[in-house]
Structure formats: C-alpha cells, structure tokens
Amino acid sequence: MSRTTPPSAAAPSRTSVEIATQPASWRRAAEAADGFDGLPRAGERVAVTGCGTSWFMAIAYAALREAAGLGETDAFASSEFPAGRTYDRVVAITRSGTTTEVLELLTALKGRIPTLALTADPKTPVMEAADSVAVLDWADEESVVQTRFATTALAFLRAGLGELPAALGVKSVADAAVDAELALTEPLPEAVVDAEQWTFLGRGWTYGLALEAALKMREAAGAWTEAYPAMEYRHGPISITAPGRVTWTFGPLPEGLAADVTAVGGTVVANSPCDPLADLIRAQRLAVTLAEAKGYDPDRPRNLTRSVILG
C-alpha cells in the first residue's frame, strides 16, 4: 500500500488493529509483573531510559514511582543519560531490542549498575546487554508507530509498583483496562476530529502521556501538535489557543484553565474519570483517523523506521 492510498473500510490499518488489543495486553502485563524478579524495589534509586515513545513512557513511570514514595526516580533519553550518576538500578525500554543508543548505554553500565530491559523481541542484542529482561512479546507490533507495546510496558511497570496511595488517584491496571475498552468504542468528538491544532497537557506522571499523544499525532498524521506540563500552558503556549484548536488534558484539569481556553474560542478535552493511560488510546485513535482522512498510511509514516540503528 502506498502512503497516499488510505486503507479501505473493509481493511483497517494494522495500527488500528494493534490499538484495539491494548486492554487484553495490559491485563496480561499485570499478570506478568506479579512476582517478576528484576523490577525496581522500594527505596532503590532508579533511572528509566529509552528513545522516542519509550522515553515518554519512562518519564511517566519515573514520575509515578517517585510520587508513590517508592524511591527517587529519574528519566532520561538514552543519548542524554548522565554517565557519572550512580543508581541502584537502571530500567531501559526498547521495543525492538536493537536501538543503538539503548544498547550503548546498557553496555556502558554492564557490571557497574544492575539493569532491566523491557523488550518485545527475545532474539535481539538487548538480551545480552541487560542483566535482566522482561520480554513482552505478546505486545510486539508490525506497525512502525508504537502504540500497544509502549502502553503495555508502562502497564507492566505500573503493576510492579503494587497498590498505590489513594491520594494519587491512580487506578489499578485491571480498572485501567476497563476504561481502555470504553476508549476504544466511544466516538471521538467532532470538534476534536475537525480541529487544525492540538495541544496535550499533563501533570506529574501524565505529562509523559501528553508528550506521547503529541508524538503519535505528528508521526501518523503529520499534525501540528504540542505538549506541556498543564500548569505551564498559561505561561506562553496559551497564546496559540483559538477557534479550531484543541487543548487536551490527561487527568484532572487545573482550576480555571478550561475557562481561560474557552474564553478565546478553544476546545477543551478532559476525561478525568477515565484512567489517563486509557485516555491515551483516544489520542492514538485520533492520530489514525486524521492520517486516513489525509490519505496517509498510518502503518508506514513518513521518514520513520521501526528501529533506529546508527552506524
């Protein structure tokens, strides 16, 4: 299929098919995390790393773990990992198991800091590069654009945190999967589909989800999207808010922000009763919908490959 030929109604894109499997994939991730040896332990100082989508999942997990009081947790793009810092454990997320920056980092850490890698492919170099590996092969994808593996990796890590404090307002992975099933079936708002620009916002762990939602829209649909910490939106980015532009918040909306957006004609999207990870599925669906409306093939986005291998 060429990039300019939209999939037919009878043949949904591979990306759409993979998006639809996420509730079941998350449930399996929660089962796999139960008793898995190698996950960060309470009190450990941890760094989480990856590239692209995997980095954004690392940001979400790091913020959630630290907010839960389980230990200081940092997140870095693998190419920007601070080599001089000491951690009790480093967690790397890599769907392909072949990404150059991730493998180089794990090799540099070998014998110095215990490492855990999450991957979809057990036949790749990451199996030797990391000290411990969680193979989430049921979440592997054919599509270049990551959807299912990324959220399943986060669900696996999130389940490994155990029962979280009620004050965080974070649901169990099982309850998130129920919300995900609704996110797959509920129609996308017409104003969101017809918009010309989308800004995604998040607070704490959901900022990583906002970054990922914006990336999906750029990758699949070539859309004009941005992402910010929610409280930063009024410190400049709100200047682009206007009719035909969407402000989409993962998690609760900061007080007064909806009024500020609607006052200048913007559209607000906030699904606070829905688990934010499930809400990410709506953004994935929107990215595919926009891509197909433009005649793009969401399975084969412009200028991208499934894994970045340098050299």
Side-chain angles (χ1 to χ4, degrees):
M1 181 185 298
S2 69
R3 181 181 160 270
T4 56
T5 303
S8 69
S13 68
R14 186 61 195 169
T15 305
S16 296
V17 172
E18 290 165 352
I19 287 172
T21 64
Q22 287 174 104
S25 190
W26 298 358
R27 292 186 177 103
R28 186 167 176 182
E31 293 174 0
D34 186 21
F36 179 84
D37 188 26
L39 282 166
R41 298 177 176 88
E44 286 186 335
R45 186 167 186 257
V46 174
V48 197
T49 188
C51 299
T53 287
S54 295
W55 175 34
F56 298 152
M57 296 300 101
I59 290 172
Y61 171 67
L64 184 57
R65 181 177 185 269
E66 187 158 321
L70 295 174
E72 182 178 342
T73 316
D74 298 323
F76 303 100
S78 297
S79 59
E80 298 296 324
F81 194 94
R85 291 197 187 179
T86 300
Y87 291 96
D88 297 313
R89 194 178 307 269
V90 171
V91 178
I93 305 172
T94 169
R95 176 181 65 170
S96 69
T98 60
T99 303
T100 298
E101 298 98 309
V102 175
L103 293 176
E104 288 181 347
L105 174 59
L106 291 173
T107 299
L109 296 175
K110 196 78 170 180
R112 185 164 66 87
I113 299 175
T115 58
L116 164 66
L118 277 62
T119 189
D121 191 344
K123 299 178 181 179
T124 55
V126 76
M127 301 298 293
E128 297 297 327
D131 298 318
S132 178
V133 182
V135 179
L136 312 179
D137 50 0
W138 69 87
D140 202 0
E141 297 159 323
E142 295 179 16
S143 179
V144 171
V145 173
Q146 280 201 60
T147 55
R148 176 175 65 190
F149 176 77
T151 61
T152 299
L154 182 54
F156 177 85
L157 292 169
R158 180 169 149 179
L161 296 175
E163 186 174 350
L164 297 172
L168 291 179
V170 179
K171 299 182 181 182
S172 68
V173 172
D175 287 341
V178 173
D179 285 350
E181 290 169 337
L182 293 175
L184 286 166
T185 58
E186 292 178 346
L188 296 169
E190 184 176 346
V192 173
V193 175
D194 294 340
E196 65 172 2
Q197 189 276 335
W198 302 260
T199 297
F200 297 94
L201 308 177
R203 299 189 72 180
W205 76 281
T206 67
Y207 174 50
L209 304 185
L211 290 167
E212 171 59 8
L215 180 63
K216 287 289 90 70
M217 296 278 282
R218 289 192 290 269
E219 287 179 330
W224 173 18
T225 60
E226 302 180 10
Y228 302 95
M231 293 299 290
E232 286 295 309
Y233 190 57
R234 284 174 283 208
H235 292 271
I238 197 171
S239 62
I240 66 167
T241 305
R245 298 178 181 179
V246 169
T247 302
W248 183 317
T249 302
F250 290 92
L253 195 68
E255 185 177 355
L257 184 57
D260 291 342
V261 171
T262 57
V264 291
T267 298
V268 175
V269 175
N271 294 292
S272 53
C274 171
D275 188 279
L277 189 58
D279 197 21
L280 180 59
I281 289 179
R282 291 187 175 91
Q284 295 170 344
R285 289 177 54 212
L286 176 61
V288 171
T289 297
L290 295 176
E292 293 174 345
K294 292 180 177 181
Y296 296 172
D297 181 353
D299 295 343
R300 299 173 181 83
R302 293 183 298 176
N303 309 325
L304 295 178
T305 57
R306 192 173 183 276
S307 174
V308 176
I309 302 174
L310 305 176

